[in-house]
């Protein structure tokens, strides 16, 4: 046994000598690099789902010939997104089931997680193709399941964000860093509150142009109330969490409120800014460039600017980054914390990592179809519709509830323990 372990360690050391990324990718020696490869696979799935939604209409005729679409014209629209999502979901579920519980490096499951890339890429491609051969009736069921999976992803992401904010606050309040981080913490907290107030003011200006915009007024005003509530609870003498955590949480909830209002359908009288941002299309850019005889360099610049203003590409990348960062943050879901790690322990939870990506596959599907399997969404748009808006608002309110519970729960448990008879 010892000789076998020695050979494995020697093999691992020899592999690490090849410091090139290609060498480590080929030998499957680096679990840290492996997560980037999984992130790229997830990104390609996002792009493929978007292409199926916006540019896959021509494939519907071929799909109908295979008796897969059952005469539906939207087989490669919203349903196409669900098909790609299902293939991505199955791939990461397989990875989850095959790597869950991995605790040590150099083992078979670690090698499977960090290597065998040719086999896994072929598996992902095969699963994606097979989903386009599944009858359409199945995706009505999968669409409902994906709502739940996307909600699980949002909850995991929410807990991860709050845990990071609390971890940052604990580091700043620790005896080791209290004096050194005091000024920095106050500066970050002050900046956060200023940005929150500016954000609320801008939302009032942009999204409440008329007094009849009662729903938007309610969303923004309630966000301001929640910010005040988080600050009051955090500064309570029994909690004494300071201003840093409610300030950063304020940024998060203001951002969620902004995303919710931005998700309202274009054309609404209270969301004219979103409508104006969508008036310009690709043809307009080309016509203007040609009429003004603008160089192709400037045409490309204007095209990139248009994409950025529509926030579509940025949103796709944000999905991948959010899934990636949440997937490696398995420590905030561990019940036993503070345990020392051995040198041969895995650097992050493989099973949790793949589970987050599996739920993320359902999440990007919901964003691309506006959380509604029967919703027709325009090209180059993402997360648009009243369902999307309400999902964001509920996510904001839930974030505040979870944050307040994390502040109050230790006090309640301490009070109950003190009240119990000895």
């Amino acid at each position: 046994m010892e000789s076998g372990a020695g050979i494995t360690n020697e093999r691992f050391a020899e592999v690490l000598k090849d410091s090139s990324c290609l060498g480590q990718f080929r030998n499957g020696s680096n679990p840290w690099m492996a997560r980037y490869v999984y992130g790229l696979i997830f990104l390609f799935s996002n792009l493929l789902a978007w292409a199926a939604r916006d540019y896959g209409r021509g494939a519907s005729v071929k799909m109908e010939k295979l008796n897969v679409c059952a005469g539906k014209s939207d087989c490669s629209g919203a349903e196409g997104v669900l098909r790609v999502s299902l293939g991505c979901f199955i791939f990461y579920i397989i990875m989850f089931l095959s790597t869950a519980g991995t605790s040590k490096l150099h083992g078979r499951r670690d090698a499977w997680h960090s290597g065998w890339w040719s086999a896994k890429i072929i598996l992902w491609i095969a699963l994606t193709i097979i989903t386009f051969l599944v009858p359409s009736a199945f995706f009505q069921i999968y669409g409902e399941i994906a709502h739940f999976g996307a909600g699980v992803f949002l909850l995991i992401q929410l807990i991860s964000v709050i845990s990071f904010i609390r971890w940052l606050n604990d580091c700043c309040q620790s005896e080791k860093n209290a004096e050194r981080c005091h000024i920095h913490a106050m500066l970050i907290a002050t900046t956060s509150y200023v940005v929150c107030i500016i954000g609320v003011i801008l939302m009032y200006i942009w999204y409440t142009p008329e007094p009849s915009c009662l729903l938007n007024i309610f969303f923004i005003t309630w966000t301001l109330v929640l910010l005040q509530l988080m600050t009051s609870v955090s500064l309570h003498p029994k909690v004494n969490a300071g201003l840093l955590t409610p300030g950063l949480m304020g940024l998060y909830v203001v951002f969620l409120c902004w995303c919710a209002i931005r998700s309202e359908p274009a054309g609404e009288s209270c969301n004219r800014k979103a409508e104006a941002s969508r008036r310009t299309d690709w043809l307009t850019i080309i016509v203007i460039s040609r009429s003004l005889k603008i160089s192709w360099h400037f045409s490309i610049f204007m095209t990139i600017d248009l994409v950025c203003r529509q926030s579509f590409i940025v949103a796709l990348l944000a999905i991948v980054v959010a899934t990636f960062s949440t997937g490696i943050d398995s420590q905030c879901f561990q019940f036993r914390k503070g345990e020392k790690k051995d040198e041969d322990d895995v650097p992050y939870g493989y099973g949790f990592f793949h589970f987050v990506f599996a739920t993320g596959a359902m999440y990007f599907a919901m964003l691309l179809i506006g959380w509604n399997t029967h919703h027709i969404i325009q090209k180059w748009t993402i997360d648009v519709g009243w369902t999307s808006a309400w999902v964001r608002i509920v996510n904001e309110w839930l974030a505040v509830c979870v944050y307040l519970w994390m502040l109050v729960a230790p006090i309640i448990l301490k009070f109950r323990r003190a009240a119990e008879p000895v």
Side-chain angles (χ1 to χ4, degrees), residues 223-240:
T223 299
L224 195 60
V225 171
L226 293 177
L227 177 61
Q228 177 61 41
L229 177 63
M230 289 188 297
T231 304
S232 301
V233 174
S234 180
L235 294 179
H236 192 276
K238 292 185 178 180
V239 177
N240 194 25

Side-chain angles (χ1 to χ4, degrees), residues 12 28-36 105 110 113-114 347-348 350:
F12 186 72
S29 61
N30 192 338
W32 286 109
M33 196 195 73
R35 58 183 187 157
Y36 293 104
L105 296 171
D110 172 66
H113 170 80
S114 304
Y348 55 91
Y350 295 165

